C-alpha cells in the first residue's frame, strides 16, 4: 500500500493547508527545516498546527551541495561541516517538536558520476549520517535515482543499516502516479518516490506549485 504526499519549498499558508487536508488526497507534506541550502523559514513553527489538522510531516534538511548541482552556493563539503550540519538538523527538528527517533531526510541533489567533487560530497554525507545516527533522531536520504546506490554505500560506511529510509526522485520503471509503489522508481530500497515533474494543485482558492510524492509509510518521518 502506498500513501500520497506533497512537498513545496514555500509554506502554502495556514488556511490553504487546512483546505488542502479536507479536499486533497495527501497524507503527508514535506516539512522544510531552515538549512544551508534552504534559507527560507516559512515552514518553521508550523508543526503543531499541521499535526492538529491531521497532516503527517516528512522532515527535510537541504544540506551543502556540490557547486552547480543546485542554485545554492553553500558548498562546504567537508567532514567537519557534515558533523556541524548533522547537529544543526537534529536540534532544529527537536525544537520544532518532532519526537525523538524521527527520520530527517538529507537532501542531496543530483551529481554526475564523474564530478570531481563527488568524493567530497561522500565525505560530507557520511559525516552527516554518522552524526545523526549518534543522536536522538534517525538519518534518511533524499537523492536522485542515479545516485541512490552510491548514497546507500555512503550510509552503510557511516554505520547505517537497512532501516535508513530513502526518498528518491527521477524517472522510474513505471510512470509516476499516486497509486505507484516507491520501488516503481527502480530503486528496490526506496521508501518514498517524488514525481520528477512538478504540478499545480488548488489549496482552497489558491493554486500552489508542488511536487507530488508516494511513500510506503503514511508518516515517512515517524520513529
Amino acid at each position: 500500500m502506498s500513501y500520497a504526499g506533497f512537498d513545496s519549498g514555500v509554506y502554502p499558508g495556514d488556511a490553504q493547508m487546512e483546505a488542502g487536508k479536507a479536499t486533497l488526497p495527501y497524507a503527508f507534506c514535506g516539512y522544510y527545516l531552515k538549512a544551508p541550502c534552504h534559507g527560507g523559514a516559512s515552514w518553521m513553527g508550523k508543526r503543531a498546527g499541521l499535526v492538529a489538522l491531521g497532516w503527517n510531516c516528512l522532515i527535510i534538511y537541504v544540506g551543502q551541495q556540490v557547486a552547480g548541482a543546485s542554485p545554492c552556493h553553500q558548498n562546504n563539503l567537508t567532514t567537519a561541516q557534515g558533523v556541524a550540519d548533522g547537529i544543526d538538523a537534529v536540534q532544529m527538528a527537536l525544537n520544532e517538536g518532532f519526537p525523538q527517533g524521527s527520520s530527517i531526510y538529507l537532501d542531496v541533489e543530483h551529481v554526475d558520476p564523474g564530478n570531481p567533487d563527488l568524493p567530497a560530497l561522500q565525505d560530507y554525507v557520511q559525516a552527516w549520517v554518522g552524526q545523526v545516527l549518534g543522536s536522538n533522531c534517525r538519518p534518511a536520504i533524499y537523492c536522485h535515482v542515479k545516485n541512490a546506490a552510491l548514497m546507500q554505500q555512503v550510509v552503510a560506511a557511516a554505520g547505517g543499516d537497512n532501516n535508513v529510509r530513502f526518498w528518491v526522485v527521477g524517472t522510474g520503471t513505471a510512470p509516476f502516479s499516486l497509486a505507484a509503489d516507491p520501488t516503481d522508481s527502480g530503486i528496490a530500497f526506496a521508501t518514498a518516490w517524488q514525481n520528477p515533474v512538478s504540478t499545480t494543485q488548488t489549496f482552497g482558492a489558491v493554486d500552489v506549485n508542488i511536487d507530488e510524492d508516494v511513500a510506503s509509510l503514511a508518516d515517512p518521518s515517524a520513529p
Side-chain angles (χ1 to χ4, degrees):
M1 184 174 182
S2 295
Y3 301 89
F6 84 94
D7 63 282
S8 171
V10 178
Y11 183 67
D14 294 343
Q16 287 69 40
M17 292 300 289
E18 181 175 3
K21 194 71 190 75
T23 61
L24 297 175
Y26 307 128
F28 65 90
C29 57
Y31 191 99
Y32 282 84
L33 301 175
K34 192 172 186 299
C37 285
H38 190 84
S42 62
W43 286 88
M44 303 292 285
K46 299 298 184 180
R47 178 186 175 271
L50 291 170
V51 171
L53 291 172
W55 285 103
N56 297 320
C57 299
L58 186 157
I59 312 168
I60 306 167
Y61 186 87
V62 189
Q64 312 280 331
Q65 303 293 332
V66 167
S70 78
C72 179
H73 298 296
Q74 298 297 321
N75 317 121
N76 186 16
L77 299 171
T78 64
T79 295
Q81 191 63 50
V83 169
D85 287 352
I87 294 170
D88 183 48
V90 169
Q91 190 60 60
M92 279 199 296
L94 296 178
N95 287 347
E96 289 293 293
F98 288 100
Q100 293 187 8
S102 295
S103 287
I104 305 172
Y105 291 76
L106 176 65
D107 182 311
V108 182
E109 294 297 309
H110 176 237
V111 180
D112 291 328
N115 191 298
D117 290 328
L118 192 54
L121 175 65
Q122 292 174 244
D123 289 343
Y124 170 80
V125 174
Q126 183 172 332
W128 189 94
V129 169
Q131 179 61 41
V132 177
L133 273 172
S135 74
N136 293 321
C137 291
R138 292 280 299 172
I141 297 290
Y142 166 89
C143 65
H144 196 277
V145 294
K146 293 181 179 179
N147 296 136
L150 176 60
M151 288 299 107
Q152 187 186 45
Q153 294 173 15
V154 172
V155 167
D161 56 25
N162 291 332
N163 292 321
V164 171
R165 298 167 188 171
F166 274 80
W167 173 29
V168 299
V169 61
T171 303
T173 56
F176 182 92
S177 78
L178 294 182
D181 188 274
T183 59
D184 291 336
S185 64
I187 304 302
F189 51 87
T191 56
W193 182 24
Q194 183 189 72
N195 189 346
V197 180
S198 62
T199 188
T200 298
Q201 276 283 18
T202 301
F203 288 69
V206 178
D207 288 339
V208 181
N209 184 256
I210 62 171
D211 290 314
E212 291 187 314
D213 307 283
V214 290
S216 56
L217 298 169
D219 192 351
S221 278

